[in-house]
Amino acid sequence: QVQLVESGGGLVQAGGSLRLSCAASGRTFSSYAMGWFRQAPGKEREFVAAISRSGGSTYYADSVKGRFTISRDNAKNTVYLQMNSLKPEDTAVYYCAADSLTLATMEGEYDYWGQGTQVTVSS
């Protein structure tokens, strides 16, 4: 079992930056591929970024490619999402998730989820 706790959300102006963190419990963090998803008001949850177990492979949604960077520190049981050049349309609750099999983009493939952290980008 893995417990995930996100942090780092907040209010930022358009063009600004935030770094989200997701701390995982347990000693098997490196056994999981990790992903970030987001859900805006009135919309379905959508994929943002994912990273493989070792951190050697990453994948991004087209909407964030070139602006967001996912990374992980297996020694600290933490995955990060660096968000630059933020836009109002990035406003959402951001969730991290753990996948016991492989890097994935579909939320149904993830086994564990955090509670989410709110990111609000003002124009």
Side-chain angles (χ1 to χ4, degrees), residues 1-7 21-25 34-39 45 79 93-99 107 110-118:
Q1 181 120 8
V2 176
Q3 293 185 328
L4 304 171
V5 179
E6 302 96 335
S7 62
S21 299
C22 173
S25 65
M34 300 297 295
W36 284 96
F37 290 75
R38 66 186 181 186
Q39 187 168 21
R45 189 154 56 183
V79 62
V93 177
Y94 283 71
Y95 300 88
C96 72
D99 184 341
E107 66 173 285
Y110 284 81
D111 304 293
Y112 303 102
W113 292 83
Q115 82 291 348
T117 185
Q118 176 71 46

Side-chain angles (χ1 to χ4, degrees), residues 30-106:
S30 60
S31 299
Y32 294 88
M34 300 297 295
W36 284 96
F37 290 75
R38 66 186 181 186
Q39 187 168 21
K43 295 187 177 181
E44 293 185 353
R45 189 154 56 183
E46 64 175 4
F47 169 78
V48 175
I51 189 166
S52 62
R53 299 173 186 179
S54 67
S57 297
T58 57
Y59 191 78
Y60 298 92
D62 287 343
S63 59
V64 307
K65 201 172 295 182
R67 300 188 298 122
F68 290 10
T69 303
I70 188 171
S71 62
R72 67 189 295 163
D73 185 337
N74 285 344
K76 295 183 178 180
N77 283 8
T78 302
V79 62
Y80 305 97
L81 185 68
Q82 177 67 43
M83 305 185 294
N84 298 328
S85 302
L86 282 161
K87 305 174 181 180
E89 52 263 44
D90 294 318
T91 294
V93 177
Y94 283 71
Y95 300 88
C96 72
D99 184 341
S100 61
L101 293 179
T102 188
L103 188 155
T105 63
M106 303 295 290

